[in-house]
Amino acid sequence: MKDFIIPWNDADMGTPAKTGAPVTLTVDGAAVTVPEGTSVMRAAYEAGITVPKLCATDSVEAFGSCRLCVVEIEGRRGTPASCTTPVVEGMVVRTQSAKVQKIRKGVMELYISDHPLDCLTCSANGDCELQDMAGAVGLRDVRYEPGENHFDPTGTGALSMADAKRREGDGNFRYIPKDESNPYFTYDPSKCIVCSRCVRACEEVQGTFALTIEGRGFESRVSAGGAVDDFLTSDCVSCGACVQACPTATLQEKSVAELGTPTRSVVTTCAYCGVGCSFKAEMNGDQLVRMVPYKNGKANRGHSCVKGRFAYGYAEHKDRILSPMIRESIDDPWQEVSWDEAIGFAAKRLKSLQKDYGRRSVGVITSSRCTNEETYLVQKLARGVFMNNNTDTCARVCHSPTGYGLGQTFGTSAGTQDFDSVEQTNVVIVIGANPTDGHPVFASRLKKRLRAGAELIVIDPRRIDLVKSAHVEAAHHLPLRPGTNVAVVTALSHVIVTEGLMDEDFIRERCDWNEFLEYADFVSQERHSPEATEMLTGVPAETLRAAARTFARGGNGAIYYGLGVTEHSQGSTTVMGIANLAMLTGNIGRPGVGVNPLRGQNNVQGSCDMGSFPHELPGYRHVKLPEVRKTFEAAWGVTIDPEPGLRIPNMLDAAVDGTFKGLYCQGEDILQSDPDTKHVAAGLAAMECVIVHDLFLNETANYAHVFLPGSSFLEKDGTFTNAERRINMVRRVMAPKAGYADWEVTQLLAQAMGADWEYAHPREIMAEIAATTPTFAGVTYERINELGSIQWPCNDDAPEGTPLMHVDEFKRGKGRFMITEYVATDEKTGPRFPLLLTTGRILSQYNVGAQTRRTANSTWHEEDVLEIHPHDAEVRGVKEGDFVKLASRSGETALRATLTDRVSTGVVYTTFHHPDTQANVITTDFSDWATNCPEYKVTAVQVSPSNGPTDWQERYNAQAEQSRRILPAAE
Amino acid sequence: MSPEKMVTMANQIATFFMTQPGEDQASRVADHINDFWEPRMRRQLLDYVAAGGEGLSPLLIEATKEVREPAQ
Ligand code: SF4
Ligand code: SF4
Ligand code: SF4
Ligand code: FES
């Protein structure tokens, strides 16, 4: 076997990579060939030569301000800056000479004269480019007297803080103390060298434009927001790009200041959202010092957001439960016990339930938070040990319609592109998604493309940030009424078909022509025109027509969508409508186009791939198919039930009916995240054995009989699959705090129930997945390590994976147009409930908030608030910040209101990150027709002034408190 | 589950396939239910139809002829 090299090298090459025709030049006598447009600095690096630099870094375009990187070029006068000089064929470069050495030394001397000499006690000691460069250029002396400076608070000429402490002086008016307002990093102006790398990173990488350089010359410094702002009050979203770019300790993680510089690093994958960013977990021993985005990560390309970058503290939080616990009844306090006892208790209960109530009386819920290997084992537990198909995943409540809709039209249940594809797109539709909050790193990549000229169409009831933010503005915003997605998408197709804007060649070649004709006939009907649907959807006909034309004529068109599409009673129909739109315009099968679901949680894609759904074995193959069952029956040595199992809502219904009695729930909090909380609570309360396997005593655990402590993503090996179908490695950086990784716990339970499982490492589980699932046939840990990551399908036909799907033909053969008739949801407004509630998430918090609430991210979002239009607020006597009662036919809750015209009149909006809010007490049991994905995004509600929490909230909290009591272990 | 909820869910499926072209809508409804409804849900549906099927759309009643009888 050939040796493989993991591309661990993530050194800074000074300026960004370019693509272009090859150019050959000589650097210090060595010939090197690089793409046209590359800087001399980067070319030198390619030739193995590092040129000193301060203001350049390869995440942002060169700026040429420090002049440390000067070189000599044959035939050119003077000493050009290598970072801003592009290569030319035949160029001869010298990076070292007496002349450039002298210039560099002079530059460094000036920098150091206005820099404190606190190196030994500086938090960046050993990790500071200014230090490195002082060494590299041979700076041995500073001839300047300590005159005016920014670092000596006493104004007495102290060279370091330590020195200043001993002196008294009248104060240095140029000195500015540290800005500690951000919970995760500090800004220490006294150490700033004004290289502007942070400013450029905030603009180019993140796209927030929060930073500027204020003042000129000696007065200039970095400023966040306006004159009176600090980092926290500015527009800063705490993505960390500036911290990453800063060469000094000026912008520095507080964790490094506290814990010291890390000594080793392990590349792993963020466990928050479906973007699946790669990170380096930087460690001291087994202590995590910081997470830094990994440059070679193909999903994030070196960028991050506040969650993955900083919000990992929950893994060490005191609320984590580290001992297994059991109790006879949910009215009892918890009893800490050994692993053996807890597993034995659980296995015995489950077995006796199956004996008394039948084989199908128990089931599992797999997690979109856990690894592929863990998910695979949990569904295997249901199928191979419980001997039924009662397995479901929380993807049920988010992206199950994506699976169904794309499966029907294209033949695969997944997005068609990789994230890099956005760099080649010309017009983007974002529908029912709020990427700047939900998928921040993707949003940054999208915004970068928009700033470069791509057009944007936003279809969302709310004026999300993308509609208008710094240097980005949507060409069209279609502010539809919640629940009318299908009508809007069909109207877009109406315009495209009736105005003859479709891509007929593509349709003839790639799709079923007869089905297209039927579809064209359907959408052309006058009742689907924007004019006819305007009253219903609230979208002005002209805006909709303009958007359709932009999309159809704009070149490469890509559609990105989120839960605002799927979480409706017609979720699956909208997904089909989106697929129709892509086929109609020929936007499938090449870079820059496609249909791209933005997945909520880190491993939604993976948990679906791994056979979590009750009707599908791994790889989306129905359990009714004998040949598929045979594969698994041979591998597992069991007989698989050919009948579909219960989906989550069905499990709860069956529990209330008394036929479903036991549940093993891994890494999910269905009580908080699923709709109609009262119904979920009733279902859980009716069960006789609820096993919760989680990091924390979550809300579901209030109804549990067994609690098995989970392991965080830092404590186990495995893989996550992101929204691009990219299988990323999760690497263990510390031992599981509770003793076992999650896959081991599932295995213990299976063994206790009689299974002969003997997995020694997750790698063996992946081998079984590859052996049984054709789309994963070529996936092994070795292969992932070698390639960095792999996008499935990966098999003999595509040994390196598949970045783009459906290139020459659709997975199912011909693309299939589906008729998408709009059907109004039964959830209608009326006199009692005149407003429509829709829900979403915000940047700093994540889903039910179990993790992010246990970090300093709560600085940005302490509670869920209700957004309401000022007009709707006024007629109800509601003022900014008032406590209001939010009621629907399911229940009522209370929270604070904020007045904003981001939402239209008639629509209110809230997030669901905090258990106190109980937004799901309000949501109803209506669901998608095909998949039972709940209709979170539309609930008819009424809002009225209130003076505090509702009775339900108080009763709920009392029950929760009662239920969380823990008795210490009996010795 | 409550009969009303089951009727709503079943009718939603019928409503979708009703709008699809072709002659075989009833079979497609039945296929969908056979593929996605667990045996006890199908049992409940079939029993409900046998008891009169109040509130179910005609297409759904038609489809139940092809809904697989769950084995005991
Ligand atoms: S953390 Fe991100 S958003 Fe905030 S200033 Fe730095 S780059 Fe800009
Ligand atoms: S804060 Fe850091 S990156 Fe920004 S200008 Fe100062 S030294 Fe450069
Ligand atoms: S964008 Fe998503 S995957 Fe990336 S760091 Fe943020 S939460 Fe993690
Ligand atoms: S690194 Fe080239 S001018 Fe600063």
Side-chain angles (χ1 to χ4, degrees):
Chain A
M1 198 179 84
K2 192 165 124 263
D3 279 353
F4 59 79
I5 301 159
I6 306 172
W8 296 119
N9 182 4
D10 58 347
D12 184 355
M13 300 168 84
T15 63
K18 300 284 168 189
T19 46
V23 172
T24 303
L25 67 160
T26 329
V27 183
D28 292 343
V32 57
T33 305
V34 293
E36 192 178 347
T38 304
S39 69
V40 169
M41 175 181 280
R42 193 176 171 105
Y45 189 90
E46 298 273 359
I49 296 155
T50 342
V51 183
K53 64 180 182 58
L54 277 173
C55 70
T57 184
D58 59 10
S59 61
V60 292
E61 293 299 329
F63 189 59
S65 68
C66 73
R67 300 210 37 87
L68 197 64
C69 68
V70 290
V71 293
E72 291 194 81
I73 297 175
E74 233 166 60
R76 291 212 193 174
R77 292 187 28 215
T79 48
S82 63
C83 64
T84 49
T85 307
V87 294
V88 173
E89 186 64 39
M91 201 178 226
V92 178
V93 180
R94 281 208 298 149
T95 72
Q96 292 293 351
S97 70
K99 189 163 156 200
V100 299
Q101 265 158 351
K102 184 150 172 260
I103 297 174
R104 289 178 190 155
K105 227 184 235 188
V107 168
M108 276 316 290
E109 211 173 345
L110 273 168
Y111 273 117
I112 297 304
S113 71
D114 187 19
H115 197 89
L117 297 182
D118 279 312
C119 287
L120 284 184
T121 52
C122 177
S123 57
N125 189 12
D127 181 24
C128 170
E129 293 181 36
L130 192 66
Q131 254 178 12
D132 298 348
M133 289 306 119
V137 305
L139 185 72
R140 299 290 169 253
D141 185 21
V142 175
R143 290 162 297 169
Y144 304 99
E145 286 285 298
E148 284 202 333
N149 64 52
H150 292 113
F151 59 84
D152 166 20
T154 65
T156 56
L159 286 175
S160 68
M161 291 290 180
D163 190 12
K165 271 196 197 131
R166 288 192 297 106
R167 307 183 183 205
E168 287 185 22
D170 8 330
N172 174 0
F173 71 96
R174 299 192 192 284
Y175 174 77
I176 308 173
K178 283 187 195 173
D179 177 348
E180 302 261 13
S181 62
N182 183 295
Y184 298 118
F185 61 83
T186 48
Y187 167 55
D188 181 354
S190 72
K191 291 181 177 158
C192 179
I193 58 169
V194 205
C195 65
S196 89
R197 275 159 65 160
C198 55
V199 177
R200 286 174 283 145
C202 190
E203 294 176 4
E204 294 174 32
V205 180
Q206 165 57 23
T208 293
F209 294 78
L211 302 179
T212 45
I213 303 280
E214 291 281 313
R216 309 199 135 263
F218 190 63
E219 303 302 322
S220 58
R221 72 192 69 261
V222 175
S223 160
V228 293
D229 282 324
D230 55 22
F231 268 81
L232 196 62
T233 61
S234 74
D235 289 341
C236 167
V237 294
S238 197
C239 70
C242 57
V243 180
Q244 194 62 14
C246 182
T248 65
T250 315
L251 288 164
Q252 175 83 298
E253 296 91 349
K254 288 182 178 172
S255 61
V256 174
E258 191 189 323
L259 303 170
T261 26
T263 48
R264 66 183 178 104
S265 75
V266 180
V267 175
T268 188
T269 305
C270 176
Y272 279 114
C273 86
V275 177
C277 296
S278 299
F279 278 89
K280 286 199 295 183
E282 298 198 335
M283 315 288 298
N284 256 336
D286 72 345
Q287 183 172 52
L288 180 60
V289 178
R290 65 176 168 188
M291 296 283 280
V292 295
Y294 181 49
K295 220 165 75 176
N296 297 325
K298 293 193 183 113
N300 55 322
R301 303 276 175 201
H303 191 33
S304 62
C305 85
V306 61
K307 292 186 283 275
R309 177 83 153 87
F310 295 117
Y312 49 79
Y314 68 88
E316 303 273 347
H317 197 276
K318 61 170 177 32
D319 286 355
R320 259 190 82 176
I321 305 287
L322 298 176
S323 164
M325 304 191 297
I326 57 174
R327 57 182 170 188
E328 268 310 310
S329 119
I330 61 168
D331 304 320
D332 297 335
W334 285 108
Q335 180 82 52
E336 292 187 351
V337 294
S338 67
W339 276 105
D340 274 355
E341 194 174 344
I343 296 280
F345 179 89
K348 191 160 147 236
R349 275 214 174 184
L350 289 174
K351 275 199 272 193
S352 88
L353 286 174
Q354 283 194 299
K355 192 155 142 275
D356 296 347
Y357 298 94
R359 177 165 57 88
R360 293 183 181 139
S361 64
V362 300
V364 301
I365 297 180
T366 72
S367 175
S368 310
R369 323 295 310 284
C370 287
T371 63
N372 287 320
E373 292 75 4
E374 285 162 346
T375 307
Y376 177 87
L377 284 196
V378 175
Q379 62 88 33
K380 178 173 173 179
L381 178 71
R383 299 198 154 106
V385 181
F386 297 174
M387 309 305 287
N388 63 42
N389 286 304
N390 292 332
T391 164
D392 206 358
T393 169
C394 63
R396 170 68 50 212
V397 303
C398 65
H399 264 295
S400 49
T402 291
Y404 183 79
L406 296 183
Q408 292 288 315
T409 47
F410 296 163
T412 40
S413 305
T416 61
Q417 313 294 114
D418 57 5
F419 286 135
D420 285 348
S421 159
V422 75
E423 289 165 18
Q424 296 181 50
T425 189
N426 302 113
V427 43
V428 178
I429 294 184
V430 171
I431 168 167
N434 185 7
T436 51
D437 287 77
H439 304 87
V441 165
F442 167 70
S444 289
R445 299 189 66 181
L446 170 63
K447 288 202 282 187
K448 186 166 189 170
R449 180 64 200 154
L450 295 173
R451 289 196 303 277
E455 286 190 282
L456 173 67
I457 299 163
V458 172
I459 307 178
D460 200 285
R462 265 173 95 233
R463 199 178 67 235
I464 57 170
D465 282 344
L466 271 183
V467 173
K468 193 160 177 13
S469 61
H471 302 269
V472 166
E473 189 169 355
H476 313 282
H477 175 211
L478 280 46
L480 77 180
R481 278 172 65 77
T484 61
N485 286 332
V486 171
V488 169
V489 171
T490 306
L492 288 168
S493 293
H494 172 92
V495 177
I496 293 171
V497 171
T498 56
E499 296 189 6
L501 302 174
M502 62 272 190
D503 183 343
E504 200 181 313
D505 294 343
F506 178 91
I507 301 169
R508 280 191 185 275
E509 189 191 328
R510 301 287 307 274
C511 306
D512 185 304
W513 185 250
N514 285 330
E515 278 165 355
F516 166 71
L517 289 179
E518 274 163 354
Y519 176 75
D521 211 39
F522 164 79
V523 294
S524 304
Q525 295 166 23
E526 189 45 36
R527 63 198 180 93
H528 298 304
S529 72
E531 290 72 20
T533 50
E534 175 170 343
M535 281 302 288
L536 168 75
T537 62
V539 180
E542 262 326 294
T543 313
L544 195 143
R545 281 194 183 272
R549 290 171 194 143
T550 304
F551 186 68
R553 292 190 187 136
N556 284 344
I559 308 176
Y560 292 87
Y561 72 89
L563 306 184
V565 160
T566 52
E567 289 175 350
H568 286 282
S569 54
Q570 279 199 291
S572 293
T573 316
T574 312
V575 173
M576 295 175 195
I578 287 172
N580 290 338
L581 206 53
M583 291 188 288
L584 207 51
T585 49
N587 278 316
I588 288 288
R590 61 179 191 279
V593 301
V595 173
N596 306 277
L598 293 172
R599 307 280 181 168
Q601 312 195 56
N602 51 332
N603 203 31
V604 172
Q605 181 69 53
S607 73
C608 298
D609 301 342
M610 291 300 107
S612 294
F613 288 138
H615 63 286
E616 276 169 350
L617 284 156
Y620 303 98
R621 292 165 297 163
H622 204 284
V623 291
K624 71 181 174 191
L625 303 171
E627 66 281 9
V628 180
R629 284 204 309 278
K630 217 147 105 210
T631 308
F632 289 94
E633 286 173 346
W636 298 349
V638 297
T639 309
I640 293 174
D641 187 348
E643 285 283 11
L646 294 166
R647 300 171 284 195
I648 295 173
N650 311 146
M651 289 180 190
L652 294 164
D653 287 331
V656 172
D657 292 345
T659 62
F660 187 81
K661 291 289 185 181
L663 179 68
Y664 170 48
C665 183
Q666 184 178 69
E668 285 304 327
D669 193 358
I670 56 169
L671 184 57
Q672 201 190 340
S673 62
D674 283 35
D676 197 358
T677 308
K678 287 181 183 171
H679 182 65
V680 180
L684 288 169
M687 294 183 205
E688 291 174 23
C689 181
V690 175
I691 305 166
V692 167
H693 184 183
D694 207 302
L695 298 178
F696 302 104
L697 271 180
N698 60 18
E699 305 301 309
T700 307
N702 297 343
Y703 291 91
H705 308 86
V706 180
F707 185 91
L708 304 174
S711 50
S712 80
F713 75 113
L714 299 166
E715 297 161 22
K716 58 199 181 190
D717 288 307
T719 54
F720 291 151
T721 308
N722 77 353
E724 319 161 273
R725 295 170 277 106
R726 186 183 299 289
I727 307 164
N728 273 316
M729 212 68 183
V730 179
R731 294 186 178 86
R732 171 174 150 154
V733 301
M734 58 179 78
K737 290 194 185 297
Y740 291 111
D742 295 340
W743 62 270
E744 295 176 287
V745 175
T746 308
Q747 168 156 292
L748 287 173
L749 183 60
Q751 286 166 342
M753 292 192 67
D756 59 350
W757 298 4
E758 291 292 347
Y759 302 103
H761 189 274
R763 137 181 326 115
E764 298 170 10
I765 307 173
M766 182 52 88
E768 186 175 310
I769 297 168
T772 50
T773 309
T775 40
F776 279 71
V779 179
T780 60
Y781 276 28
E782 290 69 30
R783 198 86 181 114
I784 302 176
N785 284 337
E786 183 182 346
L787 296 170
S789 62
I790 297 177
Q791 285 177 275
W792 66 257
C794 173
N795 45 34
D796 287 346
D797 295 337
E800 306 218 328
T802 313
L804 293 177
M805 301 273 287
H806 317 298
V807 174
D808 297 315
E809 74 172 353
F810 284 100
K811 188 77 192 306
R812 69 185 298 279
K814 292 280 184 196
R816 177 182 189 193
F817 282 94
M818 299 285 288
I819 303 289
T820 53
E821 185 75 65
Y822 169 71
V823 181
T825 163
D826 291 330
E827 185 67 16
K828 293 193 178 70
T829 55
R832 279 180 66 210
F833 302 115
L835 300 171
L836 285 179
L837 168 75
T838 182
T839 56
R841 57 161 79 160
I842 66 151
L843 171 65
S844 56
Q845 299 286 347
Y846 177 77
N847 275 20
V848 298
Q851 296 151 301
T852 44
R853 275 185 288 115
R854 290 182 172 94
T855 68
N857 275 27
S858 295
T859 318
W860 287 275
H861 185 82
E862 278 173 82
E863 57 181 338
D864 295 319
V865 294
L866 184 76
E867 290 187 3
I868 182 169
H869 191 277
H871 176 77
D872 288 330
E874 195 188 331
V875 298
R876 288 172 175 77
V878 170
K879 293 185 303 302
E880 177 68 31
D882 279 0
F883 237 97
V884 293
K885 188 175 87 180
L886 180 66
S888 76
R889 64 183 171 84
S890 291
E892 55 186 50
T893 188
L895 71 174
R896 283 184 203 284
T898 184
L899 277 44
T900 168
D901 64 359
R902 264 173 177 256
V903 289
S904 319
T905 52
V907 177
V908 293
Y909 166 89
T910 189
T911 48
F912 55 99
H913 302 301
H914 293 265
D916 287 349
T917 323
Q918 292 283 339
N920 281 326
V921 173
I922 305 300
T923 51
T924 68
D925 61 2
F926 285 143
S927 63
D928 174 47
W929 67 268
T931 63
N932 271 177
C933 177
E935 186 165 49
Y936 283 117
K937 299 291 178 182
V938 196
T939 312
V941 295
Q942 178 59 298
V943 172
S944 54
S946 137
N947 40 22
T950 61
D951 291 349
W952 158 262
Q953 279 165 301
E954 280 174 359
R955 271 204 312 277
Y956 181 90
N957 285 337
Q959 194 276 344
E961 195 159 315
Q962 175 77 9
S963 164
R964 290 201 178 112
R965 290 167 303 152
I966 300 176
L967 291 180
E971 286 305 324
Chain B
M1 84 187 101
S2 75
E4 300 79 52
K5 187 166 170 181
M6 183 193 67
V7 169
T8 309
M9 273 168 52
N11 284 347
Q12 272 181 303
I13 297 170
T15 306
F16 177 80
F17 287 105
M18 206 134 56
T19 64
Q20 296 304 305
E23 304 299 317
D24 58 345
Q25 285 98 343
S27 308
R28 291 175 71 185
V29 171
D31 286 349
H32 187 90
I33 291 178
N34 286 332
D35 280 356
F36 294 98
W37 284 33
E38 201 256 2
R40 70 195 96 165
M41 297 167 68
R42 299 207 308 272
R43 178 80 273 146
Q44 190 184 355
L45 177 67
L46 292 174
D47 289 351
Y48 187 80
V49 171
E54 197 193 327
L56 287 174
S57 86
L59 177 61
L60 200 103
I61 304 238
E62 173 72 21
T64 47
K65 291 183 195 146
E66 292 176 57
V67 168
R68 212 167 48 242
E69 202 47 57
Q72 280 319 311

